[in-house]
Every structure is written in C-alpha cells, then in structure tokens.
C-alpha cells in the first residue's frame, strides 16, 4: 500500500516538474527571432561590403610560380588567357584538340616570363584527360589553376548551324567532371587551387533565337549550376580551393565577325577584343571574386532579369537584343 502511494507521488512530481508546452513554444520562438535578426544583420553587412568593394576592389594576388591549365587555349579568350598568364610568370599548360592553333598560342606565350607547353587532348574523353593531367604534373608540377574556356560558343558558330546535342553537352558540361576528377587532387596536395569556369550569357538569360539554340543555352545553365554547387561543397569542407564563375557576354568578337552582328544599342554594347576580355577575367580571378561578368556591369542586369516578371524580362531582353544568339 505504501509502495503504491510512493509510486503515485513520484509520478505526480514528475508531471509537475515537466515544463509547460507554452514555455517551450516561447523558447522556440525566441530562438527563431534571434536567428532571423542575426541573418538580417549578416545580410546587411554583406551588402555593405559588396557595395564598398565596387569602389575599392580587393588587392590582386600574385600568381608567380602557379601552374595553370588552360583548356581551349587554341583560340579566342583561351589563347589570350594563356598569353596573359605567362606574362605574370605562370607556367601554363595549353590544352586544345587543334595542334596547329595550340602551337601558335605557345609560340606567342613563350615570349613572356612564364613557361608554356602544348598538350593535345580531347577533353570529352575521361582517360585522355587523366593522361594529360599526369603529363602536366610530370613536366610542370601540380596544377593549381584551371581555366575551362570551351564553354563559350563563338559568334561565328552561333550564326551557323548549331552543333550536335550530345557533343555540345559533352564538351561544355561533362568535360568539367573529367577535369575536376584529376585536377582537384592536385590542388589538394598543393594546399591551394583556383578553378575558373567561363560561361556564356545564356547561363543567365537563355537563348534568344529559337529552339535550335536550346542545347547551347541548356549547357550554359548547367555550367552555372555546376560552379555554384562546387562552390557550396568546397565552402563546407573548408577547402583552400577557390571557385570563380565568369559570365562572358556575346559582344566579345574578333574583327572578322563584327560585320555579321548588329547591335540594338551600339553605344552600350560595342565589341571587345579577346585580349581585353582576358585581362578583365584575370583581374577578377586575382581578386578571388566568386562571380563576375565581362563587361562587369552586365552581371547586375542578369540578376535583375531573374527577379522581374516574365513578361517584363522578355521586354527588357528585346530592348537589349544584339542580333546574335544570346540576348
């Protein structure tokens, strides 16, 4: 009898000591409010710092002694990047599938301080990519910088028949994975790294010339998603590897294709030589920017297009139409 009474008293005491549900709810609400306030303060300071960096950019880092792998070095921006990197005393592995154009790039780049070597590789082939990276490691050292320049379709190509769908995806998207599989371990061993992903404006706004360009536009969106996912993954692992996504707008063309392109607003959207584009890209990379565009001010326009209603977005794209494939 006494044992039963004692058990009942203990159970009653336990129920009385249990905190009310209302108190738990108030505590959860307090934590939520605290988290939201902390988040808003963090966002505010991030915006202030971003605005400050517009007028006072961070200093550029030195690249002396880095080993850069420039994929697509045979022409255009890839060639100019290889030349500019050599001028900064970087050892450059010029990777391309075209032997003649890649040799020309190396001849031009070798006139500078750095070392440039030719590596012929089909980057859509996983085994060939691995063999090429192993050769680079043996001859130049561990790869610490990767520039993927094969994602940028030329204006001339845009004016012709679109490439085959599978080849477009393999060259623009899948090749990134084969390169990352072999280059990331190099950067981890070196304790540092910088991966630069170049994407067309189609990764921000899509194609503007009909369904024939859908594969190209789709590939550009995929490249942008790849860069953002990789940036998030490496950030959570506290890696020293930096990811930079560069949006290249279609106004960077050679003199031979200027006549093929019309500009709706010529004063704002003139052509830009590939050499100037490469210089701007390297300036952003050396400042460790996570994302920027060439020309720089058009990145904000791309973000505005994302938040506008679809109809308003289409009207703005029509206004800024360049007459090429991506507007």
């Amino acid at each position: 009898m006494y044992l039963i009474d004692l058990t009942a008293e203990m159970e009653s005491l336990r129920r009385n000591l249990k905190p009310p549900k209302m108190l738990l709810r108030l505590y959860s609400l307090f934590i939520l409010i605290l988290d939201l306030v902390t988040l808003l303060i963090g966002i505010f300071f991030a915006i202030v710092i971003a605005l400050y960096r517009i007028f006072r950019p961070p200093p550029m880092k030195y690249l002396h002694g880095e080993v850069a792998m420039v994929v697509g070095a045979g022409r255009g921006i890839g060639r100019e990047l290889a030349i500019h990197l050599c001028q900064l005393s970087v050892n450059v592995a010029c990777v391309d599938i075209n032997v003649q154009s890649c040799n020309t790039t190396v001849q031009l780049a070798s006139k500078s301080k750095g070392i440039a070597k030719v590596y012929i590789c089909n980057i859509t082939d996983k085994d060939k990519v691995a063999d090429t990276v192993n050769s680079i490691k043996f001859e130049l050292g561990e790869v610490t910088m990767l520039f993927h320049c094969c994602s940028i379709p030329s204006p001339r190509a845009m004016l012709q028949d679109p490439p085959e769908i599978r080849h477009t995806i393999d060259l623009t998207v899948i090749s990134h994975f084969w390169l990352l599989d072999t280059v990331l371990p190099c950067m981890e061993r070196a304790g540092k790294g910088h991966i630069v992903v170049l994407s067309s404006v189609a990764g921000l706004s899509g194609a503007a010339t009909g369904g024939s360009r859908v594969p190209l536009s789709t590939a550009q969106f995929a490249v942008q998603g790849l860069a953002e996912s990789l940036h998030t993954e490496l950030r959570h692992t506290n890696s020293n590897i930096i990811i930079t996504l560069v949006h290249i707008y279609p106004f960077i063309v050679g003199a031979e294709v200027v006549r093929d392109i019309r500009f709706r607003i010529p004063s704002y959207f003139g052509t830009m030589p590939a050499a100037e584009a490469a210089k701007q890209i390297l300036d952003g990379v050396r400042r460790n920017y996570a994302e920027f565009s060439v020309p720089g001010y058009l990145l904000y326009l791309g973000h505005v297009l994302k938040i506008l209603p679809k109809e308003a977005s289409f009207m703005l794209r029509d206004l800024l139409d360049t007459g090429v494939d991506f507007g």
Side-chain angles (χ1 to χ4, degrees), residues 26-28 32 36 44 60 95 105 111 136 143 173 180 230 291 300 306 314-316:
L26 288 174
Y27 175 75
S28 299
L32 176 61
L36 288 174
F44 172 76
M60 291 190 287
V95 180
T105 299
K111 299 176 182 179
I136 294 171
V143 177
V173 183
L180 292 173
L230 189 60
E291 183 179 13
Y300 305 103
K306 291 182 178 180
F314 291 149
M315 287 188 285
L316 184 56

Side-chain angles (χ1 to χ4, degrees), residues 210-233:
S212 62
R213 310 301 176 192
V214 168
L216 291 167
S217 183
T218 301
Q220 298 305 313
F221 275 99
V223 168
Q224 178 180 335
L226 170 68
E228 292 181 356
S229 299
L230 189 60
H231 182 273
T232 301
E233 181 177 342

Side-chain angles (χ1 to χ4, degrees), residues 127-173:
D127 294 331
K128 290 182 179 179
V129 169
D131 292 340
T132 300
V133 174
N134 286 332
S135 298
I136 294 171
K137 288 192 298 182
F138 179 75
E139 296 179 3
L140 298 178
E142 300 282 11
V143 177
T144 57
M145 302 187 77
L146 173 64
F147 294 81
H148 192 299
C149 305
C150 294
S151 301
I152 309 300
S154 66
R156 172 69 71 181
M158 297 299 94
L159 295 165
Q160 299 170 348
D161 292 334
E164 190 265 332
I165 295 175
R166 181 58 184 267
H167 177 72
T168 300
I169 300 300
D170 284 346
L171 180 65
T172 307
V173 183

